[in-house]
Amino acid sequence: MDLKAQFGEIVEKLRKQRPVIHHITNYVTAESCADMTLAAGASPVMADEPEEIEEITAGADALLLNLGTLNFNKMIAMEKAVAAAQAKGIPVILDPVGVMTSSMRLAFAVKLLEKGCISIVRGNHSECAALLENKTGGCGIDNIGGTEEGDALKTAQEAAKKYNCVFAVTGEIDNISNGHQAVVLNNGHPLLQDITGSGCMASTLCACCAAVTKDMLAAAALGIVIMGQGAELAANFLEKKDGPGMFKVRLLDCVYHVTTKWNVINLNPERKN
């Protein structure tokens, strides 16, 4: 089955089934991720108290772990949630925010990956390269420039093979791989770099799609496509007086329209062996 057909089926299931997405997430972007989940047609729940985490996760259809504001209690909660997700057989999506800047974050992310419990990793090239090389380096959570063309695709493929899961390396060009196949996408808008939480929201969309399909490569690719298409539509609606603030508001509206009017969007993605 080609990706375009799969995408249509996943979007239809997403809007019809309204899956529950459990976020253990970053307090900086929690509201944005909850709003994005709703815009896509899913239902968000945000809980990080270790005492209730297993019960909450057991009632969800996908689990999203975001390391943006990591602390000791969250690490305990995440490990408990992962165990509950594995017991139920639901996908786990990891957003390794800033792992290249912190030994604690990197070690924890690698620990999760080495357990074989992660279905999809969605991060920028610097984050995913740090996971691949198990090496820190950098002074912030944003993507570090200076990479050669093709490096991100190579990182996605090698990291996916190393950890036996899907890696979605996002940036100006998005590269998604399961280690055997790859999808390369060129959509989105530069204004995504000027708002807080664009990466976190992209991870949320990947989780929404993963909740209703067994194909994690298709889920990750579709999540990124929805984000990119939403961004392009949002930018088209802006007036000269508008900036990043209005763009972010429009982004939620446009993701809603992308998923509710999927049949009018002309996309022709291809898997590459």
Side-chain angles (χ1 to χ4, degrees), residues 17 68 77 93 132 156 162 189 227 249 262 265:
Q17 296 179 14
I93 292 76
L132 175 61
K162 179 177 181 178
H189 193 275
M227 187 68 170
V249 173
W262 181 261
I265 297 174

Side-chain angles (χ1 to χ4, degrees), residues 47-63:
D48 58 15
E49 172 53 52
E51 290 188 13
E52 68 171 359
I53 210 74
E54 292 163 311
E55 185 178 2
I56 296 291
T57 305
D61 298 295
L63 172 66

Side-chain angles (χ1 to χ4, degrees), residues 95-101 105 122-131 133 137-153 155-156 167-175 190 192-195 197-200:
D95 189 330
V97 179
V99 290
M100 67 286 194
T101 66
R105 292 187 195 203
R122 199 296 316 161
N124 63 41
H125 186 232
S126 296
E127 292 161 344
C128 294
L131 293 173
E133 299 166 8
C139 55
I141 65 169
D142 293 326
N143 202 40
I144 300 169
T147 57
E148 298 293 330
E149 184 177 356
D151 282 354
L153 176 57
T155 295
F167 264 71
V169 182
T170 54
E172 186 175 348
I173 304 294
D174 304 310
N175 297 274
L192 286 170
Q193 301 174 23
D194 295 330
I195 63 172
S198 58
C200 299

Side-chain angles (χ1 to χ4, degrees), residues 156-173:
Q157 292 172 321
E158 292 184 358
K161 287 180 182 178
K162 179 177 181 178
Y163 294 115
N164 193 31
C165 65
V166 170
F167 264 71
V169 182
T170 54
E172 186 175 348
I173 304 294

Side-chain angles (χ1 to χ4, degrees), residues 11-225:
V11 170
E12 184 178 359
K13 288 180 180 179
L14 177 56
R15 302 297 316 187
K16 181 181 291 186
Q17 296 179 14
R18 198 171 179 80
V20 175
I21 314 301
H22 180 196
H23 299 67
I24 305 178
T25 193
N26 175 349
Y27 59 67
V28 177
T29 62
E31 182 177 5
S32 296
C33 291
D35 286 340
M36 187 59 73
T37 305
L38 291 167
S43 178
V45 59
M46 310 285 189
D48 58 15
E49 172 53 52
E51 290 188 13
E52 68 171 359
I53 210 74
E54 292 163 311
E55 185 178 2
I56 296 291
T57 305
D61 298 295
L63 172 66
L64 173 58
L65 309 177
N66 182 303
L67 306 189
T69 51
L70 194 62
N71 58 50
F72 183 69
N73 279 340
K74 275 190 179 178
M75 287 191 284
I76 294 173
M78 286 181 180
E79 290 196 84
K80 285 188 172 185
V82 163
Q86 286 183 299
K88 188 181 179 183
I90 63 172
V92 181
I93 292 76
L94 175 65
D95 189 330
V97 179
V99 290
M100 67 286 194
T101 66
S102 163
S103 297
M104 181 187 78
R105 292 187 195 203
L106 179 60
F108 183 68
V110 170
K111 180 181 180 181
L112 293 176
L113 284 162
E114 289 181 343
K115 286 183 177 181
C117 60
I118 303 300
S119 307
I120 298 170
V121 176
R122 199 296 316 161
N124 63 41
H125 186 232
S126 296
E127 292 161 344
C128 294
L131 293 173
L132 175 61
E133 299 166 8
N134 201 357
K135 181 180 178 181
T136 59
C139 55
I141 65 169
D142 293 326
N143 202 40
I144 300 169
T147 57
E148 298 293 330
E149 184 177 356
D151 282 354
L153 176 57
K154 184 178 179 182
T155 295
Q157 292 172 321
E158 292 184 358
K161 287 180 182 178
K162 179 177 181 178
Y163 294 115
N164 193 31
C165 65
V166 170
F167 264 71
V169 182
T170 54
E172 186 175 348
I173 304 294
D174 304 310
N175 297 274
I176 304 100
S177 179
N178 59 9
H180 307 287
Q181 298 170 301
V183 179
V184 179
L185 300 168
N186 182 14
N187 59 177
H189 193 275
L191 276 172
L192 286 170
Q193 301 174 23
D194 295 330
I195 63 172
T196 301
S198 58
C200 299
M201 289 185 279
S203 297
T204 289
L205 290 171
C206 292
C208 290
C209 296
V212 295
T213 182
K214 298 295 184 182
D215 189 334
M216 294 298 106
L217 180 65
L222 179 54
I224 303 306
V225 165

